[in-house]
């Protein structure tokens, strides 16, 4: 019956699917890739956000930090929510919600995928989920298309010819193969079937959307009742909607089995009509109902005329067989039911729990000679044969009759299982069991790995041929063989043996009856002890396992555990249950059916019953259950027990404890795993866990690796204790048979183990790893690295490279080349940022110096080499180096070993492919990931520094090309002083050779600035400064300009004039304001603001005596100000009768540019005269009673102020159609005059000799110069584009360019008398000042 789907059912299925996707990275990436490929998203921004969200989600899953994971998930969710709804965004959101334990939202997002693209969701993304949730609701659709298909085939039955065999293709009594069926269709039938197939796919998609909406309504309403009605299916081209609805209602009210296959195809085969259902009440009609058939290739439709024989099977015969089989089964079922009813009537319940056992079954042991199995026959459910392939006889041990696990070949050429032949020799035999040939030596050889690999290959090709044993079965398979192989023989002693067997069976049956039928607890307890004794003495071929493993007997044992208080009885009961459970999984299944049974065993273990740990392991409780039961302390106490104090069991209690600890540490919750690891370290059980490496069971060795690796990651100091006791050989033996995850854990364990703070110890362990084991470790690691996951490769490559370099590096090594290629490839793989980080950190750790906790000291050692020994915020790290590696520094042997290793590994890294690693590190430095860029920076600094130690093979040039610019950038702009010190250390390498020094020339200014700032932290900075300064011929090349201040005075309009005097700066503004600024070192602040002028203050000047300030304004006045210590005060006002655009003061005369042509000269008494009246003057300067004018026509005149004589220095140019070329600024230094104009004649700045009126030089600049200022050695040019170019006055070279950073023009400039401060004013009201160094 199609019933309403509850929200719990939906959540169970969706959560199971999403959890599976999250736990398998390859599956997750494949699904995301499929969705991206099939979603057809054309918007590149959306596609970029989706890719970024997918990478962020992948990073969140891979990291262990909860903080980083939470922030990554939040970022991914914020990226996805604003995007338009599409399958890939909905799928990613469902994964994010699942990690955040928001199951309902996760389910809604996943159902949205089915709504948006049903075809893709049900076929490629979640076909299993489609079958589990959607198929049942689509049964009306399946039925409808089945009926339409049936209408198509009979439509031409009258025209279809019968064949010689007498059958028609539409004969209901026959079943035809699909190829024959299609070959006899007409073209019209085939066409209709294809059209039906298309309609089917569209209809399924429409109904999937409907069902998805229905599921979402159920989840939102969170109801399991009928408040949300079942969805009605929608059919395409349906002739009768009413008939469809009626059919659907019938489907809801009819019991219909759920089919495993979620697809329907109107083109199918009907050969499989025998369908088994769990209930016998189904009619023959139901059994013969059409099942979901297999799809037939469309190619068959193109070959309809091919003739093949028909394989005909009568349906009626099959129906008859079905009915007869049902009839045969019915009486047997009834008789069994009646027998069981009688047995229930004969048992009298004595105790609540015991009565349940007795009601379930009573065993009759009346006949002592009977088989012990027939009594429990009702509980034997052996699965039928499934066609498993028999292994070759050479793969089977002749003693145990099982597949070889550890084959050894004797000198006679015969091969046996190691444990079996050891037991043969232990019995005193010294011959070959098969040939009976006397052996010269009974010491067993090494494992036959060739045969073992052949067996492993056969198992991979025949995965279903031999059942994969559980860990307990694989561990104790030999014990079962021993019991079965010890059957009585025909030897003279067999009669006595058989008598002993019969006596034991009789006693055992009696004990079993007392165990679960006796009302007296003491009798049941005694029975347990008797059964235990029989079990331990069962060496005569008695199959006790089958007699005890029946559910009633198991329940009897559990009654003892619940009611007994005798420690010996409890120990015996747990022992028996554990021994049986290790052989037969059915025993464990019986125990796990009742939760109270598991809780009882847990409670006994916590109360001190140590052997119960084996039974707990066999019960396979979930990690959550183990954490809730709080059995960690009890597990630790197991390791305190001595072996002789514990029972001898097939699975040792300590082995079970190790396996359970590994399971607990595998908890996804970091807090729990961290707490457990700390407890283990403090509990001092590390040594006992290391002892598990000698275990015979590979799973125990793997579990020990997991535990110790987690402990090292939690507290690196414990690696020293592990390193002292570890034996790599057993771990390496487990490596070949392990899965990828276990192999990677082993590689991680070895990699962490060689991070000791003594180099000689590290190399000793590396030698053990390389040389021990029965196979080539390096070859095995190489093969694994070539097939490992991306995030595993860097760690494997790092370990393999260290193993290869134990010997002196050869010219060619496949291991070294492959390792380096892998590291560089991973470092450049920007699609996997987490892999890049691991690769970079692996390279850093290869330097070989570690502290006691295993942390790499590469960064700290480099800082120490740079002389970074001042008291600074992080200098405690340097102190840690001395403290942690003090023994290294005082032990010459260790120091030499470490230095030799560093040179060896650095030589290999930098020499690979002529410095290819530097290119990869340079790319990593550009990453936005702080962790990646930091690791790449440290690696690049270390390898660059090592170039000064290694022989020069031309790699320095390659490193300089890749890294120089990055190191200079870090030295210039990094905020962290340590990073700047490291970049300085790397740059020092390039100073050691001429080409590097030449490459540094273009960065001299930035380098010198950084070195000056670092002098107080490192003496190396002073040494580098000395080298660089000596290489520069003039100080002009090393002038530094540091911005002091930028002030916004836009409320006062433009800054039209600025002048410096002593420690003050005066500025004139377009609103008539004059401001006074104080400058003390790098401090710059306003001390006075006055507005005496009515209009703009166009120019300012200082008197020769230095105690007066003159201000000229467009309000036609010049004001005289007395300059005090802190303020200025207006003391005199001169009316100039004309606007003042620029002026200069000389010998108590004011020379200024008026509104019109010429220059006016006015004395203090008010007399005025106009000079150079035929020229429109743009700028002027006064020197030694001479006035120099720069005019609009590009001419320059010299005027004698005493006589008024005018001399022409530069003739003007007549402007016809061309552009005007005025002289914008004039400056005089000594006998040289500098004139600034436009670049029409090629030179913007022309240099004239004021004595001879000859041009002696020029400066070529790309843009016009509107204002100019000068110091004794520098020329400052205010260009039209808002830049200030700085030129060396003597060498006439440009040495720097300053960008003012605003859109305004540079209106005025000034340099103070001490040449320590440079100031500009801009048209947008800003004042900026720089310190000159």
């Amino acid at each position: 019956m199609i019933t309403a789907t509850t929200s719990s059912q939906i959540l169970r299925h969706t959560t199971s699917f999403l959890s599976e996707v999250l736990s398998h990275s390859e599956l997750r990436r494949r699904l995301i890739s499929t969705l991206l490929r099939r979603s057809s998203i054309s918007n590149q921004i959306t596609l970029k956000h989706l890719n970024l969200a997918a990478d962020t989600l992948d990073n969140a899953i891979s990291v262990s930090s909860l903080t980083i994971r939470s922030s990554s998930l939040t970022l991914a969710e914020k990226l996805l929510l604003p995007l338009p709804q599409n399958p890939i965004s909905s799928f990613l959101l469902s994964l994010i919600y699942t990690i955040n334990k928001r199951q309902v939202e996760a389910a809604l997002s996943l159902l949205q995928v089915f709504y948006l693209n049903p075809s893709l969701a049900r076929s490629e993304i979640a076909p299993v989920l489609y079958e589990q949730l959607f198929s049942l609701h689509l049964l009306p659709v399946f039925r409808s298309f089945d009926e339409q298909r049936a209408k198509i085939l009979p439509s031409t039955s009258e025209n279809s010819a019968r064949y010689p065999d007498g059958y028609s293709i539409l004969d209901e009594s026959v079943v035809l193969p699909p190829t024959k069926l299609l070959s006899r269709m007409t073209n019209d039938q085939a066409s209709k079937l294809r059209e039906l197939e298309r309609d089917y796919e569209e209809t399924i998609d429409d109904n999937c959307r409907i069902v998805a909406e229905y599921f979402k309504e159920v989840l939102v309403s969170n109801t399991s009742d009928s408040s949300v009605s079942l969805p009605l299916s929608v059919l395409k081209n349906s002739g009768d909607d009413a008939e469809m609805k009626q059919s659907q209602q019938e489907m809801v009210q009819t019991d219909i089995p759920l089919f495993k296959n979620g697809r329907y195809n109107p083109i199918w085969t009907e050969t499989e009509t025998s369908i088994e259902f769990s209930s016998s009440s189904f009619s023959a009609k139901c059994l013969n109902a059409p099942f979901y058939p297999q799809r037939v290739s469309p190619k068959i439709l193109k070959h309809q005329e091919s003739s093949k024989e028909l394989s005909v099977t009568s349906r009626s015969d099959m129906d008859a067989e079905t009915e007869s089989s049902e009839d045969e089964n019915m009486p047997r079922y009834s008789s069994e039911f009646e027998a069981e009813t009688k047995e229930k009537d004969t048992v009298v319940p004595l105790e609540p729990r015991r009565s349940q056992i007795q009601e379930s079954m009573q065993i009759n042991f009346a006949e002592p000679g009977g088989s012990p199995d027939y009594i429990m026959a009702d509980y034997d459910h052996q699965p039928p044969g499934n066609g498993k392939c028999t292994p070759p006889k050479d793969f089977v041990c002749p003693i145990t009759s099982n597949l070889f696990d550890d084959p050894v070949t004797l000198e006679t050429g015969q091969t046996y299982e190691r444990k079996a032949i050891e037991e043969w020799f232990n019995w005193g035999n010294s011959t070959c069991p098969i040939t009976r040939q006397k052996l010269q030596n009974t010491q067993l050889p090494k494992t036959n790995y060739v045969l073992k690999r052949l067996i492993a290959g056969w198992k991979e090709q025949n995965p279903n041929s031999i059942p994969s044993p559980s860990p307990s079965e694989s561990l104790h398979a030999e014990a079962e063989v021993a019991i079965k192989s010890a059957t009585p023989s025909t030897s003279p002693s067999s009669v006595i043996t058989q008598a002993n067997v019969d006596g034991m069976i009789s006693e055992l049956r009696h004990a079993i009856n007392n165990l679960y039928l006796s009302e007296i607890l003491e009798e049941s307890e005694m029975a347990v002890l008797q059964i235990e004794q029989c079990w331990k003495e069962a060496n005569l071929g008695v199959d006790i396992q089958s007699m005890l493993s029946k559910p009633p007997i198991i329940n009897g044992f559990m009654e003892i555990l619940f009611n007994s208080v005798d420690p010996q009885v409890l120990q015996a009961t747990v022992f028996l249950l554990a021994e049986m459970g290790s052989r037969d999984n059915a025993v464990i299944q019986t125990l796990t059916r009742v939760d109270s049974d598991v809780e009882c065993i847990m409670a006994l273990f916590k109360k001190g019953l140590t052997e119960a740990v084996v039974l707990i392991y066999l019960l396979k409780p979930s990690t959550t259950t183990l954490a809730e039961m709080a059995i960690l302390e009890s597990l630790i106490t197991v390791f305190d027990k001595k072996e002789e104090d514990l029972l001898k069991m097939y699975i040792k209690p300590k082995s079970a404890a190790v396996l359970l600890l590994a399971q607990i540490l595998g908890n996804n919750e970091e807090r729990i795993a961290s707490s457990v690891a700390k407890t283990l370290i403090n509990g001092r059980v590390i040594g006992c866990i290391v002892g598990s490496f000698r275990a015979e069971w590979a799973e125990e060795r793997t579990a020990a690796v997991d535990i110790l690796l987690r402990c090292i990651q939690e507290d690196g100091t414990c690696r020293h204790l592990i390193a002292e006791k570890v034996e790599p050989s057993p771990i390496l033996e487990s490596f070949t048979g392990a899965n990828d995850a276990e192999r990677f854990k082993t590689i991680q364990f070895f990699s962490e183990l060689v991070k000791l703070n003594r180099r000689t110890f590290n190399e000793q362990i590396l030698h053990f790893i390389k040389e021990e084991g029965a196979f080539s470790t390096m070859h095995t690691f190489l093969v694994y690295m070539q097939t490992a996951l991306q995030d595993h490769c860097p760690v494997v490559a790092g370990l393999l490279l260290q193993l290869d370099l134990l010997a002196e590096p050869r010219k060619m090594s496949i291991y070294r080349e492959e390792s380096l290629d892998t590291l560089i490839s991973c470092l450049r793989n920007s699609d996997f940022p987490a892999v890049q980080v691991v690769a970079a950190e692996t390279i850093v750790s290869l330097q070989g110096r570690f502290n006691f906790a295993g942390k790499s000291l590469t960064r700290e050692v480099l800082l120490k080499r740079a002389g970074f020994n001042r008291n600074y915020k992080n200098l405690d790290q340097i102190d840690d180096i001395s403290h942690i590696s003090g023994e290294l520094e005082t032990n010459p042997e260790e120091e030499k070993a470490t230095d030799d290793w560093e040179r060896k590994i650095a030589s290999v890294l930098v020499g690979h492919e002529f410095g290819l690693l530097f290119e990869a590190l340079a790319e990593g430095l550009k990453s936005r990931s702080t962790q990646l860029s930091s690791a790449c920076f440290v690696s690049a600094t270390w390898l660059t520094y090592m170039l000064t130690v290694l022989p020069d093979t031309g790699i320095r040039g390659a490193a300089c090309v890749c890294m120089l610019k990055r190191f200079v950038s870090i030295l210039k702009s990094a905020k962290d002083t340590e990073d700047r010190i490291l970049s300085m250390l790397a740059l020092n390498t390039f100073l050691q050779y001429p080409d590097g020094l030449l490459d540094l020339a273009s960065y001299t200014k930035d380098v010198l600035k950084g070195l000056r700032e670092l002098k107080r932290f490192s003496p190396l900075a002073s040494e580098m400064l000395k080298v660089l300064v000596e290489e520069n011929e003039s100080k002009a090349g090393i002038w530094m300009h540091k911005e002091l201040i930028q002030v916004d005075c836009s409320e006062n309009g433009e800054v039209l004039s600025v002048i410096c005097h002593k420690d003050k700066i005066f500025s004139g503004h377009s609103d008539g304001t004059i401001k006074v600024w104080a400058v003390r070192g790098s401090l710059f602040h306003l001390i006075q603001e006055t507005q005496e002028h009515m209009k703009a203050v166009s120019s300012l000047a200082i008197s020769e005596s230095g105690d007066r300030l003159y201000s000229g304004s467009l309000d036609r006045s010049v004001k005289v100000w007395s300059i005090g210590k802190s303020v200025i005060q207006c003391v005199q006002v001169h009316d100039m009768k004309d606007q003042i655009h620029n002026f200069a003061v000389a010998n108590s005369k004011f020379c200024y540019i008026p509104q019109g042509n010429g220059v006016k000269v006015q004395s203090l008494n008010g007399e005025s005269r106009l000079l150079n009246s035929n020229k429109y003057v743009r700028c002027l300067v006064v020197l030694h009673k001479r006035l120099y004018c720069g005019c609009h026509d590009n001419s320059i005149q010299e005027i004698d102020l005493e006589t008024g004589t005018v001399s022409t220095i530069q003739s003007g140019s007549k402007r016809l159609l061309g552009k005007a070329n005025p002289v914008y600024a004039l400056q005089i230094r000594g006998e040289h005059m500098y004139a600034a104009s436009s670049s029409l004649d090629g030179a913007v700045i022309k240099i004239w000799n004021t004595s001879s009126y000859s041009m002696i030089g020029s400066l070529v600049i790309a843009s016009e110069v509107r204002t100019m200022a000068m110091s004794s050695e520098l020329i400052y040019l205010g260009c039209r584009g808002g830049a200030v170019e700085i030129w060396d006055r003597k060498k006439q070279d440009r040495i720097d360019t300053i960008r003012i950073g605003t859109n305004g023009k540079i209106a005025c400039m000034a340099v103070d008398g001490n040449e320590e401060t440079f100031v500009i004013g801009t048209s947008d009201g800003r004042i900026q000042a720089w310190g000159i160094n």
Side-chain angles (χ1 to χ4, degrees), residues 695-730:
E696 297 180 359
W697 194 4
E699 185 173 349
E700 182 182 349
R701 297 197 293 268
T702 302
V705 169
D706 290 350
I707 296 171
L708 296 176
L709 176 60
R710 188 64 181 82
C711 291
I712 290 175
Q713 293 170 343
E714 185 64 35
D715 184 356
T717 58
C718 68
R719 78 183 73 229
H720 297 267
L721 175 62
I722 299 171
E724 292 176 359
K725 299 185 177 182
V726 72
E727 295 180 12
S729 181

Side-chain angles (χ1 to χ4, degrees), residues 683-802:
R684 299 181 181 180
V685 297
I686 297 296
C688 298
I689 297 175
V690 173
S692 294
F693 288 150
R694 295 186 291 271
E696 297 180 359
W697 194 4
E699 185 173 349
E700 182 182 349
R701 297 197 293 268
T702 302
V705 169
D706 290 350
I707 296 171
L708 296 176
L709 176 60
R710 188 64 181 82
C711 291
I712 290 175
Q713 293 170 343
E714 185 64 35
D715 184 356
T717 58
C718 68
R719 78 183 73 229
H720 297 267
L721 175 62
I722 299 171
E724 292 176 359
K725 299 185 177 182
V726 72
E727 295 180 12
S729 181
I731 307 175
L732 294 171
E733 290 179 6
S734 304
F735 188 84
T736 53
N739 57 39
D740 285 346
E742 294 170 346
R743 290 182 178 184
F744 182 59
K745 287 289 182 66
T746 302
I747 296 292
Q748 276 187 304
F749 176 70
F750 284 143
S751 299
E752 291 293 334
L753 207 58
V754 294
K755 292 181 180 179
L756 302 172
N757 64 338
R758 288 184 176 270
R759 188 68 232 169
T760 54
F761 287 3
N762 288 333
E763 295 189 8
Q764 184 179 357
I765 295 175
L766 287 170
H767 275 293
F768 288 153
I769 297 172
K770 182 178 181 180
E771 297 171 0
E772 291 192 8
F775 55 88
S776 173
T777 302
M778 295 182 65
H779 178 72
T780 303
F781 286 178
L782 175 61
V783 173
Y784 169 60
M785 182 179 69
Q786 293 171 340
T787 59
L789 297 176
Q790 275 284 343
D791 50 349
H792 296 176
C793 289
V795 182
V796 185
L799 181 61
L800 186 59
L801 182 61
Q802 293 182 72

Side-chain angles (χ1 to χ4, degrees), residues 1110 1116-1120 1132-1137 1140 1143-1152 1159-1171 1201-1202:
Y1110 300 96
R1116 303 184 179 188
S1117 68
V1118 171
K1119 296 184 184 295
V1120 182
Q1132 192 175 3
V1133 178
H1134 296 277
D1135 184 9
M1136 309 304 291
K1137 308 298 183 180
I1140 300 173
F1143 86 102
V1145 180
N1147 298 327
S1148 300
K1149 294 181 180 181
F1150 298 109
C1151 304
Y1152 65 94
V1159 175
K1160 284 190 175 182
V1161 179
Q1162 182 171 326
S1163 61
L1164 295 179
N1165 59 12
E1167 295 181 359
S1168 170
R1169 56 177 173 163
L1170 180 65
L1171 302 176
L1201 293 177
E1202 295 292 336

